[in-house]
Amino acid sequence: MLKKKYVDKDVTAIHSLNYFTEKLKTWYKASNNFYYKMFLDQVSYATAKANCQEKKANLASVGVRDSSMRNHLISLASGENVWIGLNDIEHEGNFIWEDGVVSTADNTPWINPPDDYEGNEDCVHLTETSLNDYDCSKLLPYICEKFV
Ligand SMILES: [Ca+2]
Ligand SMILES: [Ca+2]
């Protein structure tokens, strides 16, 4: 029988995702009337964005700006790191939500200010508590959001 000699980080992440609640496996209608779905394939921010758009959706934006909806999404995602729709790709330090809304202190719940680590973090993922800027080429699952 074949045995794996090691388990790398990504495999561990996929394993832990098995524990997230069933709700986000299909389009889930939240109390804000938007629908959410979590995709478990681990992809770059650009691919995640394109995959959501293919489904007539956006990377989650509206729901993430709302504190109670954000906490709800974090619990539905079991605190996994997942891409959501916020980036400063165009201009360093000027974050824009994927639905076009400009990020402000009021609508963006950084616990720590984005650190643009090694000058290479322009995309944002949900953490178990809040938001973090991260390397856009890293591979993460993601949450799409659509209105109908
Ligand atoms: Ca940045
Ligand atoms: Ca960071």
Side-chain angles (χ1 to χ4, degrees):
M1 199 165 95
L2 278 175
K3 244 188 178 179
K4 271 205 155 178
K5 289 205 175 87
Y6 61 89
V7 176
D8 70 23
K9 221 174 95 192
D10 290 345
V11 173
T12 307
I14 289 168
H15 176 74
S16 65
L17 284 173
N18 291 333
Y19 297 100
F20 86 91
T21 177
E22 295 289 309
K23 280 187 179 167
L24 286 185
K25 283 184 177 171
T26 56
W27 289 103
Y28 161 71
K29 188 176 186 184
S31 58
N32 64 357
N33 288 327
F34 281 79
Y35 289 80
Y36 294 89
K37 185 171 176 180
M38 182 165 163
F39 292 86
L40 299 182
D41 47 323
Q42 304 197 29
V43 298
S44 70
Y45 184 93
T47 300
K49 174 178 172 169
N51 289 355
C52 288
Q53 287 174 338
E54 247 172 43
K55 295 162 178 66
K56 308 263 186 274
N58 260 335
L59 279 170
S61 301
V62 178
V64 180
R65 288 197 294 269
D66 178 88
S67 63
S68 63
M69 185 55 57
R70 179 172 62 253
N71 289 331
H72 188 49
L73 289 173
I74 287 172
S75 69
L76 289 175
S78 299
E80 289 294 338
N81 294 328
V82 291
W83 290 128
I84 52 94
L86 180 63
N87 71 76
D88 71 339
I89 293 169
E90 287 278 316
H91 297 288
E92 177 53 39
N94 292 351
F95 284 88
I96 310 283
W97 294 92
E98 284 294 345
D99 62 351
V101 171
V102 174
S103 166
T104 64
D106 286 341
N107 71 23
T108 311
W110 305 108
I111 283 190
N112 300 306
D115 60 358
D116 199 43
Y117 183 67
E118 294 186 335
N120 193 31
E121 293 193 328
D122 296 340
C123 294
V124 178
H125 68 82
L126 210 52
T127 73
E128 61 185 341
T129 54
S130 183
L131 301 177
N132 177 47
D133 60 340
Y134 201 43
D135 180 342
C136 300
S137 69
K138 298 282 189 187
L139 308 180
L140 294 179
Y142 54 101
I143 296 178
C144 299
E145 169 188 83
K146 64 181 180 179
F147 192 61
V148 283

